[in-house]
Amino acid sequence: MGCMLVPHTLRCDAFTARSACQASARQLTGQPYDAFLVLDVEATCREGTDLNYPNEIIEFPICLLRWKDSASDGRASKLEIVDEFRSFVKPTWRPTLAKFCTELTGVTQDQVNNAPLFPEVLTLCRQFLVKNGLIDCDTGRHLVTYCWCSDGPFDVRDFVVKQCFISKIVMPEWLQGDVLDIRMAVNNWLNYRTSRTTQSYGRLPTSGITRRSLNISAQLKALGLSEFQGRQHCGIDDCRNISRVLVELARRGISLQPNTVIYPDKRWHWMGKPGQVLDYALT
């Protein structure tokens, strides 16, 4: 099967009685979004290439999170995973996976050979959003406010935009919009904790102290959570662990707002006509 909708209950990290008491006493923070879609794609890659390579998406997983305690004025602090979407994707430009790619992502040649093409995956993903009441079935109009989230800016900003070009499709409106880069949010929180300077409670500074970029495992550790659960670089496992980070940021009273701008018409040097990858530009 190329696609599966996976019911899931988020494993909760244990808190001490003291921290639980502090969390319950903390004033709830105003939150601008009703739902969050954590996306962590896996894509074709070759050893030695960078983010300018024409990667094709081979796994498209999502964790959908909603508030458990949203007040009428939008204040909330408790997020939970309520549903999941996952599909492998069949690449077309370079349909044979490199050994390096399979070893890194765990995605096999058989899985992508039997998977739907990217346009069909987007159709299935749209159905997932409709099923969960995020968009209107007929118009695609947002029925609630939701924000895409990822570890770093790359998943929607780069990989999805590249894939839409390769697949010769327009990036769907329901997939557009600014993104919450969780890695940046954690980094900003660490800066805030160190400097103790912020313009208003729950708002994170975006400049000042420079820190090393933290991968998912390091983010979990920085927030005092248990270690990574599952296989790193497996898209759905990455999504679940990024979701754990998001849940913890919400619990700490952080206002979860987008911090990464998406440009659906972004171009790379290897792009020719729609769907055309200029091989000579890669040498």
Side-chain angles (χ1 to χ4, degrees):
M1 289 289 292
C3 173
M4 44 191 160
L5 303 185
V6 188
H8 178 75
T9 301
L10 177 65
R11 301 180 189 175
C12 295
D13 289 275
F15 299 112
T16 64
R18 178 181 179 184
S19 63
C21 180
Q22 290 174 337
S24 62
R26 183 182 290 118
Q27 181 180 0
L28 298 181
T29 301
Q31 297 290 352
Y33 291 96
D34 300 311
F36 299 86
L37 293 157
V38 175
L39 174 68
D40 190 275
V41 304
E42 299 302 323
T44 57
C45 53
R46 293 183 179 275
E47 194 168 11
T49 59
D50 59 19
L51 289 171
N52 290 313
Y53 184 76
N55 315 87
E56 295 181 88
I57 293 174
I58 53 177
E59 184 185 0
F60 196 88
I62 296 170
C63 287
L64 169 62
L65 294 88
R66 290 183 182 273
W67 298 106
K68 298 171 62 177
D69 62 342
S70 181
S72 58
D73 60 359
R75 293 179 298 123
S77 68
K78 296 179 181 179
L79 275 175
E80 64 176 345
I81 294 179
V82 295
D83 206 352
E84 293 181 353
F85 172 88
R86 186 191 192 191
S87 179
F88 295 107
V89 188
K90 186 174 186 176
T92 56
W93 173 62
R94 288 288 185 270
T96 301
L97 302 183
K99 180 181 178 182
F100 172 80
C101 181
T102 294
E103 290 176 347
L104 177 67
T105 66
V107 178
T108 67
Q109 191 65 51
D110 285 344
Q111 285 173 322
V112 297
N113 286 347
N114 296 313
L117 298 175
F118 186 68
E120 184 181 346
V121 172
L122 288 188
T123 298
L124 296 169
C125 182
R126 187 183 190 279
Q127 293 172 2
F128 172 78
L129 269 60
V130 169
K131 183 192 78 168
N132 281 284
L134 272 62
I135 61 174
D136 181 80
C137 179
D138 297 322
T139 65
R141 179 179 59 86
H142 288 212
L143 299 178
V144 299
T145 58
Y146 63 82
C147 179
W148 291 94
C149 310
S150 60
D151 172 43
F154 315 109
D155 293 82
V156 180
R157 189 194 69 182
D158 296 337
F159 292 122
V160 172
V161 172
K162 290 178 189 178
Q163 186 62 64
C164 287
F165 172 85
I166 292 172
S167 297
K168 296 191 287 188
I169 59 174
V170 176
M171 190 173 181
E173 187 174 350
W174 50 263
L175 188 48
Q176 296 183 32
D178 296 343
V179 170
L180 171 56
D181 174 352
I182 303 295
R183 185 178 300 201
M184 183 189 298
V186 171
N187 195 70
N188 289 340
W189 175 79
L190 291 171
N191 289 346
Y192 163 72
R193 188 182 65 169
T194 301
S195 66
R196 297 294 182 184
T197 58
T198 185
Q199 294 180 351
S200 62
Y201 177 78
R203 300 260 179 189
L204 295 176
T206 57
S207 61
I209 300 171
T210 300
R211 292 181 179 272
R212 177 176 59 85
S213 181
L214 303 178
N215 61 21
I216 300 172
S217 293
Q219 293 168 44
L220 293 167
K221 183 176 181 180
L223 292 170
L225 303 176
S226 58
E227 64 183 12
F228 190 100
Q229 297 171 358
R231 184 192 191 282
Q232 295 189 44
H233 299 297
C234 165
I236 191 63
D237 286 345
D238 284 352
C239 282
R240 291 168 181 163
N241 284 277
I242 296 167
S243 296
R244 293 173 59 207
V245 173
L246 187 64
V247 167
E248 178 62 12
L249 290 177
R251 190 191 72 83
R252 291 172 184 255
I254 304 304
S255 181
L256 303 176
Q257 309 213 27
N259 53 21
T260 301
V261 179
I262 304 303
Y263 300 102
D265 297 323
K266 183 179 178 180
R267 301 277 294 182
W268 279 262
H269 67 284
W270 47 263
M271 290 180 169
K273 298 177 181 179
Q276 180 186 25
V277 176
L278 304 174
D279 291 86
Y280 67 81
L282 301 175
T283 58

mmCIF file of all heavy atoms in Angstrom, residues 31 77 180 182 185-186 189 204 223 244-256:
data_model
loop_
_atom_site.group_PDB
_atom_site.id
_atom_site.type_symbol
_atom_site.label_atom_id
_atom_site.label_comp_id
_atom_site.label_asym_id
_atom_site.label_seq_id
_atom_site.Cartn_x
_atom_site.Cartn_y
_atom_site.Cartn_z
ATOM 1 N N GLN A 31 -3.037 31.536 21.587
ATOM 2 C CA GLN A 31 -2.512 30.771 20.460
ATOM 3 C C GLN A 31 -3.314 31.109 19.198
ATOM 4 O O GLN A 31 -4.541 31.019 19.203
ATOM 5 C CB GLN A 31 -2.584 29.269 20.742
ATOM 6 C CG GLN A 31 -1.738 28.821 21.927
ATOM 7 C CD GLN A 31 -0.247 28.910 21.653
ATOM 8 O OE1 GLN A 31 0.182 29.173 20.527
ATOM 9 N NE2 GLN A 31 0.569 28.691 22.682
ATOM 10 N N SER A 77 -2.613 25.467 26.173
ATOM 11 C CA SER A 77 -1.249 25.009 26.462
ATOM 12 C C SER A 77 -1.058 23.517 26.211
ATOM 13 O O SER A 77 0.067 23.039 26.263
ATOM 14 C CB SER A 77 -0.883 25.318 27.923
ATOM 15 O OG SER A 77 -1.670 24.522 28.811
ATOM 16 N N LEU A 180 5.966 27.160 10.565
ATOM 17 C CA LEU A 180 6.654 27.229 11.849
ATOM 18 C C LEU A 180 7.842 26.268 11.822
ATOM 19 O O LEU A 180 7.664 25.055 11.787
ATOM 20 C CB LEU A 180 5.694 26.855 12.985
ATOM 21 C CG LEU A 180 6.304 26.669 14.376
ATOM 22 C CD1 LEU A 180 7.071 27.913 14.812
ATOM 23 C CD2 LEU A 180 5.227 26.303 15.387
ATOM 24 N N ILE A 182 10.301 24.495 13.718
ATOM 25 C CA ILE A 182 10.424 24.110 15.119
ATOM 26 C C ILE A 182 11.863 24.259 15.616
ATOM 27 O O ILE A 182 12.109 24.663 16.751
ATOM 28 C CB ILE A 182 9.951 22.655 15.321
ATOM 29 C CG1 ILE A 182 8.509 22.489 14.836
ATOM 30 C CG2 ILE A 182 10.065 22.257 16.792
ATOM 31 C CD1 ILE A 182 7.494 23.262 15.600
ATOM 32 N N ALA A 185 12.386 27.724 16.526
ATOM 33 C CA ALA A 185 11.633 28.061 17.728
ATOM 34 C C ALA A 185 12.357 27.580 18.988
ATOM 35 O O ALA A 185 12.409 28.296 19.994
ATOM 36 C CB ALA A 185 10.229 27.462 17.659
ATOM 37 N N VAL A 186 12.906 26.371 18.935
ATOM 38 C CA VAL A 186 13.654 25.854 20.088
ATOM 39 C C VAL A 186 14.898 26.699 20.326
ATOM 40 O O VAL A 186 15.220 27.057 21.461
ATOM 41 C CB VAL A 186 14.036 24.374 19.877
ATOM 42 C CG1 VAL A 186 14.987 23.902 20.972
ATOM 43 C CG2 VAL A 186 12.795 23.503 19.852
ATOM 44 N N TRP A 189 13.926 29.864 21.938
ATOM 45 C CA TRP A 189 13.567 29.649 23.346
ATOM 46 C C TRP A 189 14.819 29.538 24.206
ATOM 47 O O TRP A 189 14.873 30.094 25.315
ATOM 48 C CB TRP A 189 12.715 28.392 23.486
ATOM 49 C CG TRP A 189 12.436 28.072 24.918
ATOM 50 C CD1 TRP A 189 11.506 28.643 25.737
ATOM 51 C CD2 TRP A 189 13.147 27.116 25.726
ATOM 52 N NE1 TRP A 189 11.587 28.093 26.991
ATOM 53 C CE2 TRP A 189 12.580 27.159 27.021
ATOM 54 C CE3 TRP A 189 14.191 26.226 25.470
ATOM 55 C CZ2 TRP A 189 13.028 26.355 28.059
ATOM 56 C CZ3 TRP A 189 14.645 25.419 26.511
ATOM 57 C CH2 TRP A 189 14.066 25.485 27.780
ATOM 58 N N LEU A 204 9.125 34.904 21.412
ATOM 59 C CA LEU A 204 10.528 34.517 21.390
ATOM 60 C C LEU A 204 11.370 35.510 20.600
ATOM 61 O O LEU A 204 10.946 35.979 19.539
ATOM 62 C CB LEU A 204 10.670 33.135 20.764
ATOM 63 C CG LEU A 204 10.024 31.999 21.554
ATOM 64 C CD1 LEU A 204 10.164 30.702 20.779
ATOM 65 C CD2 LEU A 204 10.633 31.859 22.925
ATOM 66 N N LEU A 223 15.020 20.272 25.842
ATOM 67 C CA LEU A 223 13.742 20.514 26.511
ATOM 68 C C LEU A 223 13.495 19.547 27.663
ATOM 69 O O LEU A 223 12.416 19.551 28.271
ATOM 70 C CB LEU A 223 12.602 20.406 25.496
ATOM 71 C CG LEU A 223 12.558 21.516 24.436
ATOM 72 C CD1 LEU A 223 11.552 21.188 23.355
ATOM 73 C CD2 LEU A 223 12.250 22.861 25.075
ATOM 74 N N ARG A 244 6.442 15.942 19.588
ATOM 75 C CA ARG A 244 6.753 15.968 21.023
ATOM 76 C C ARG A 244 7.387 17.303 21.415
ATOM 77 O O ARG A 244 7.073 17.871 22.473
ATOM 78 C CB ARG A 244 7.693 14.822 21.375
ATOM 79 C CG ARG A 244 7.082 13.434 21.246
ATOM 80 C CD ARG A 244 8.129 12.350 21.448
ATOM 81 N NE ARG A 244 8.753 12.446 22.753
ATOM 82 C CZ ARG A 244 9.997 12.026 23.029
ATOM 83 N NH1 ARG A 244 10.756 11.504 22.063
ATOM 84 N NH2 ARG A 244 10.480 12.148 24.244
ATOM 85 N N VAL A 245 8.271 17.807 20.554
ATOM 86 C CA VAL A 245 8.892 19.109 20.809
ATOM 87 C C VAL A 245 7.838 20.211 20.771
ATOM 88 O O VAL A 245 7.805 21.096 21.640
ATOM 89 C CB VAL A 245 10.001 19.387 19.767
ATOM 90 C CG1 VAL A 245 10.528 20.811 19.908
ATOM 91 C CG2 VAL A 245 11.135 18.377 19.911
ATOM 92 N N LEU A 246 6.952 20.156 19.785
ATOM 93 C CA LEU A 246 5.900 21.164 19.655
ATOM 94 C C LEU A 246 4.989 21.164 20.882
ATOM 95 O O LEU A 246 4.629 22.227 21.410
ATOM 96 C CB LEU A 246 5.090 20.890 18.390
ATOM 97 C CG LEU A 246 4.038 21.929 17.989
ATOM 98 C CD1 LEU A 246 4.692 23.258 17.653
ATOM 99 C CD2 LEU A 246 3.219 21.427 16.799
ATOM 100 N N VAL A 247 4.608 19.971 21.340
ATOM 101 C CA VAL A 247 3.764 19.839 22.530
ATOM 102 C C VAL A 247 4.444 20.489 23.738
ATOM 103 O O VAL A 247 3.810 21.196 24.526
ATOM 104 C CB VAL A 247 3.465 18.349 22.810
ATOM 105 C CG1 VAL A 247 2.864 18.164 24.200
ATOM 106 C CG2 VAL A 247 2.522 17.790 21.758
ATOM 107 N N GLU A 248 5.757 20.269 23.864
ATOM 108 C CA GLU A 248 6.482 20.814 25.014
ATOM 109 C C GLU A 248 6.607 22.329 24.935
ATOM 110 O O GLU A 248 6.496 23.023 25.955
ATOM 111 C CB GLU A 248 7.862 20.160 25.116
ATOM 112 C CG GLU A 248 8.730 20.672 26.250
ATOM 113 C CD GLU A 248 8.146 20.422 27.636
ATOM 114 O OE1 GLU A 248 7.174 19.659 27.765
ATOM 115 O OE2 GLU A 248 8.659 21.016 28.608
ATOM 116 N N LEU A 249 6.831 22.870 23.747
ATOM 117 C CA LEU A 249 6.889 24.326 23.602
ATOM 118 C C LEU A 249 5.558 24.950 24.010
ATOM 119 O O LEU A 249 5.527 25.982 24.691
ATOM 120 C CB LEU A 249 7.228 24.707 22.157
ATOM 121 C CG LEU A 249 8.655 24.406 21.684
ATOM 122 C CD1 LEU A 249 8.811 24.763 20.210
ATOM 123 C CD2 LEU A 249 9.698 25.148 22.520
ATOM 124 N N ALA A 250 4.462 24.322 23.606
ATOM 125 C CA ALA A 250 3.134 24.820 23.986
ATOM 126 C C ALA A 250 2.953 24.755 25.497
ATOM 127 O O ALA A 250 2.422 25.691 26.120
ATOM 128 C CB ALA A 250 2.050 24.012 23.274
ATOM 129 N N ARG A 251 3.387 23.664 26.105
ATOM 130 C CA ARG A 251 3.252 23.501 27.556
ATOM 131 C C ARG A 251 4.021 24.581 28.315
ATOM 132 O O ARG A 251 3.601 25.032 29.386
ATOM 133 C CB ARG A 251 3.760 22.122 27.976
ATOM 134 C CG ARG A 251 3.451 21.760 29.422
ATOM 135 C CD ARG A 251 4.200 20.518 29.853
ATOM 136 N NE ARG A 251 5.621 20.767 30.024
ATOM 137 C CZ ARG A 251 6.177 21.285 31.122
ATOM 138 N NH1 ARG A 251 5.418 21.632 32.142
ATOM 139 N NH2 ARG A 251 7.482 21.466 31.201
ATOM 140 N N ARG A 252 5.133 25.026 27.723
ATOM 141 C CA ARG A 252 5.950 26.056 28.368
ATOM 142 C C ARG A 252 5.433 27.472 28.124
ATOM 143 O O ARG A 252 6.063 28.438 28.534
ATOM 144 C CB ARG A 252 7.404 25.931 27.897
ATOM 145 C CG ARG A 252 8.092 24.672 28.416
ATOM 146 C CD ARG A 252 9.461 24.475 27.778
ATOM 147 N NE ARG A 252 10.071 23.224 28.214
ATOM 148 C CZ ARG A 252 11.074 23.136 29.094
ATOM 149 N NH1 ARG A 252 11.584 24.241 29.608
ATOM 150 N NH2 ARG A 252 11.566 21.966 29.431
ATOM 151 N N GLY A 253 4.312 27.577 27.433
ATOM 152 C CA GLY A 253 3.693 28.888 27.258
ATOM 153 C C GLY A 253 4.183 29.671 26.071
ATOM 154 O O GLY A 253 4.019 30.900 26.014
ATOM 155 N N ILE A 254 4.788 28.992 25.085
ATOM 156 C CA ILE A 254 5.283 29.674 23.895
ATOM 157 C C ILE A 254 4.142 29.872 22.902
ATOM 158 O O ILE A 254 3.397 28.940 22.601
ATOM 159 C CB ILE A 254 6.408 28.860 23.217
ATOM 160 C CG1 ILE A 254 7.535 28.588 24.221
ATOM 161 C CG2 ILE A 254 6.929 29.584 21.985
ATOM 162 C CD1 ILE A 254 8.118 29.817 24.856
ATOM 163 N N SER A 255 3.998 31.067 22.404
ATOM 164 C CA SER A 255 3.009 31.341 21.356
ATOM 165 C C SER A 255 3.537 30.784 20.040
ATOM 166 O O SER A 255 4.576 31.217 19.539
ATOM 167 C CB SER A 255 2.767 32.852 21.233
ATOM 168 O OG SER A 255 1.791 33.122 20.243
ATOM 169 N N LEU A 256 2.835 29.803 19.472
ATOM 170 C CA LEU A 256 3.315 29.069 18.298
ATOM 171 C C LEU A 256 2.908 29.800 17.027
ATOM 172 O O LEU A 256 1.765 29.718 16.582
ATOM 173 C CB LEU A 256 2.757 27.643 18.323
ATOM 174 C CG LEU A 256 3.095 26.848 19.594
ATOM 175 C CD1 LEU A 256 2.409 25.490 19.571
ATOM 176 C CD2 LEU A 256 4.604 26.697 19.769
#
